[in-house]
Amino acid sequence: MAAPAAGTHVFLEVRRRLQSALLILGEPKEGGMRMDISLAPSSLQVKTPEGCTELRFPAEVRLVPSSCRGLQYVPGDGLHLRLQVWAEPDNTKLISMFNQSSQAQGCCTFYCQSCGEVVIRNRKLLRVLPLPSENWGALVEEWCCHPDPFANKPLHPQEHDCFIGDSFFLVNLRSDLWQPRPELAPVETQCPSSENHFKLILNTQWLSSKRQKLVPFGKKPKANTKVICKRCKVMLGETMSSETTKFFITEIIIQPSERNFSIVPRSQFVQNVIAQCLVELSSARSTFRFTIQGHDGKVYILLWLLNSDSLVIESLGSSKSIKKFPLLEDILKADSSSAWNAVKVLYQPCIKNRNEKLSSAWESDISIHSLTLPSATCLELLLILSRNNAMLPPSLRSVNSFQVAFLKM
């Protein structure tokens, strides 16, 4: 797809289920410039005194030009119009990074997503099983007419198991390979076996009374033990016991051992993992509101999933004025056009004591699901949401008191 004339921002959101689309043609930088627009089922053509550019749509999307309606000019945005489209449903199934069938067929290698460091090498996973929801203990008490048979029985994986939670997974590190120490000072632990070619630095920090939180699997509040990548020092997870380690899904990539590792841009990976997680949880549990909290117990973001059937086609035109951040450089290519599936979310930041009342109300609402990630990743996600919000046409950036963003899949 070719980029439109310099200064023209083209934005098209296609709703597959509704078979409709919103097209926004941004204002040229030079006011009063003549612009001729031609719509065809498979393309959009924009003519200005500076030149002519054609924007082609993906093969699965066809516009119905005769259905154009609601044409209006919105100051600051440009021209808005709605159309009917013929869009094929997205039949691509979400393939979890912990796909049970594929991961259980052979040996897998666990990598740090940020730098590619090998965390666990050639691990044979014979069972990859989903964990129940974090409040499963309370549900058992409601259903059982006798004492809870699962009380004080944490769910820990065996040596060749992988248990999958909402935002993490648990693996077993055998006692002969794992040498935990009770010291509070940082401790470096080496694994002598060739199976695990990694070093984990254990930083044990006691949570303050204000941040103490009940740990899943029936554990009492205790020290928070971080597992950190030896190369880039990113937090990968936490130790749950002497043999069990929790890894966060945003920090680890699992691949078959025979496959070469390839770096995925950080922002692309975070967006995809979070979007996939939201879609899976909303489908399985009929919940559409989420709190994103750090491992320190603080809530960083309130998320509200609006829809997961959007196809966004966008051209930024000239983006010389856009400041680039290292985390986001993969989504800020100058004079670029792109088409991508996305989930549409509303969000509210909760850092620096913002939205405290709303955050407290959401935390006490049992219909709202909580996702726990490393605190640094929560800030990365907030930066991605803010950047994606800023790239939308001004009229689409907010709904009531919430901000709007798309997360690419």
Side-chain angles (χ1 to χ4, degrees):
M1 288 185 291
T8 303
H9 183 187
V10 177
F11 177 87
L12 177 68
E13 180 190 3
V14 176
R15 293 292 308 277
R16 295 180 186 272
R17 293 174 188 166
L18 301 179
Q19 296 289 289
S20 66
L22 169 64
L23 174 63
I24 300 178
L25 297 173
E27 298 179 291
K29 289 184 178 180
E30 297 180 12
M33 179 184 292
R34 178 185 175 86
M35 179 185 294
D36 293 329
I37 304 165
S38 299
L39 271 176
S42 61
S43 65
L44 166 69
Q45 190 179 72
V46 180
K47 292 183 179 180
T48 68
E50 295 184 352
C52 175
T53 305
E54 188 176 33
L55 185 65
R56 296 188 177 277
F57 305 131
E60 68 271 18
V61 175
R62 288 293 180 268
L63 301 184
V64 183
S66 60
S67 67
C68 177
R69 67 189 187 278
L71 179 63
Q72 62 175 329
Y73 171 76
V74 178
D77 272 12
L79 291 178
H80 284 224
L81 59 145
R82 294 188 177 274
L83 306 99
Q84 182 181 351
V85 299
W86 297 104
E88 297 178 6
D90 185 11
N91 296 321
T92 304
K93 294 183 179 180
L94 292 177
I95 302 177
S96 172
M97 58 190 298
F98 315 109
N99 182 271
Q100 298 183 25
S101 59
S102 64
Q103 297 296 345
Q105 290 177 354
C107 291
C108 300
T109 297
F110 293 46
Y111 298 91
C112 169
Q113 192 280 324
S114 297
C115 68
E117 178 71 11
V118 173
V119 178
I120 302 177
R121 187 186 300 276
N122 297 333
R123 170 59 64 94
K124 180 74 172 179
L125 298 179
L126 300 180
R127 296 193 307 168
V128 180
L129 304 173
L131 287 168
S133 61
E134 294 185 4
N135 59 346
W136 68 276
L139 296 178
V140 170
E141 292 179 357
E142 296 293 332
W143 290 353
C144 292
C145 59
H146 51 78
D148 182 2
F150 303 105
N152 301 319
K153 293 183 179 179
L155 300 176
H156 288 311
Q158 299 301 312
E159 181 179 337
H160 296 290
D161 293 345
C162 179
F163 290 172
I164 306 169
D166 294 335
S167 59
F168 63 90
F169 59 98
L170 302 178
V171 294
N172 181 279
L173 299 178
R174 295 178 303 183
S175 58
D176 60 328
L177 298 177
W178 194 240
Q179 302 294 333
R181 300 182 183 181
E183 291 87 344
L184 297 179
V187 178
E188 181 174 298
T189 304
Q190 294 186 352
C191 300
S193 171
S194 60
E195 176 186 358
N196 295 280
H197 290 248
F198 70 102
K199 298 178 182 179
L200 298 179
I201 302 174
L202 303 180
N203 286 336
T204 306
Q205 299 175 337
W206 287 97
L207 296 177
S208 65
S209 58
K210 292 184 180 180
R211 298 184 183 177
Q212 283 187 345
K213 180 184 176 185
L214 290 178
V215 180
F217 317 117
K219 289 180 175 293
K220 297 180 179 179
K222 63 172 189 177
N224 177 23
T225 305
K226 297 181 181 180
V227 178
I228 300 175
C229 174
K230 72 168 186 178
R231 178 187 292 175
C232 65
K233 311 305 179 185
V234 165
M235 179 180 177
L236 303 176
E238 301 171 311
T239 56
M240 305 300 295
S241 71
S242 60
E243 297 184 1
T244 302
T245 299
K246 174 203 290 186
F247 290 110
F248 292 107
I249 62 173
T250 53
E251 314 307 319
I252 293 290
I253 288 182
I254 304 176
Q255 291 185 348
S257 295
E258 64 272 13
R259 185 187 304 174
N260 293 328
F261 176 79
S262 58
I263 291 289
V264 178
R266 178 64 179 168
S267 64
Q268 177 183 329
F269 181 80
V270 172
Q271 287 186 81
N272 182 68
V273 168
I274 297 299
Q276 181 171 302
C277 185
L278 297 180
V279 172
E280 291 177 347
L281 288 174
S282 64
S283 175
R285 302 181 184 177
S286 297
T287 181
F288 300 92
R289 292 185 293 169
F290 305 86
T291 59
I292 307 298
Q293 66 178 26
H295 68 279
D296 55 6
K298 289 183 178 180
V299 174
Y300 286 79
I301 312 170
L302 306 179
L303 273 182
W304 195 329
L305 177 63
L306 287 185
N307 62 267
S308 57
D309 65 333
S310 289
L311 172 67
V312 178
I313 302 171
E314 185 178 26
S315 179
L316 300 179
S318 178
S319 56
K320 295 179 180 179
S321 62
I322 297 177
K323 291 184 178 180
K324 294 190 176 184
F325 298 89
L327 174 67
L328 303 172
E329 284 185 352
D330 60 292
I331 62 173
L332 294 177
K333 297 178 181 179
D335 302 316
S336 64
S337 298
S338 60
W340 28 273
N341 294 314
V343 299
K344 189 175 185 179
V345 298
L346 303 179
Y347 73 97
Q348 285 276 24
C350 296
I351 59 175
K352 297 183 178 179
N353 300 321
R354 295 175 63 182
N355 301 303
E356 283 186 295
K357 291 184 179 179
L358 183 59
S359 177
S360 298
W362 278 41
E363 286 185 89
S364 60
D365 191 332
I366 61 174
S367 68
I368 296 176
H369 195 76
S370 176
L371 294 175
T372 301
L373 302 171
S375 298
T377 302
C378 294
L379 294 175
E380 287 182 59
L381 177 59
L382 182 56
L383 178 60
I384 291 170
L385 290 168
S386 300
R387 187 58 205 165
N388 289 356
N389 172 266
M391 296 175 72
L392 291 175
S395 65
L396 302 185
R397 293 176 186 172
S398 63
V399 174
N400 296 328
S401 61
F402 282 82
Q403 299 178 66
V404 182
F406 288 92
L407 291 175
K408 299 180 182 180
M409 299 182 66

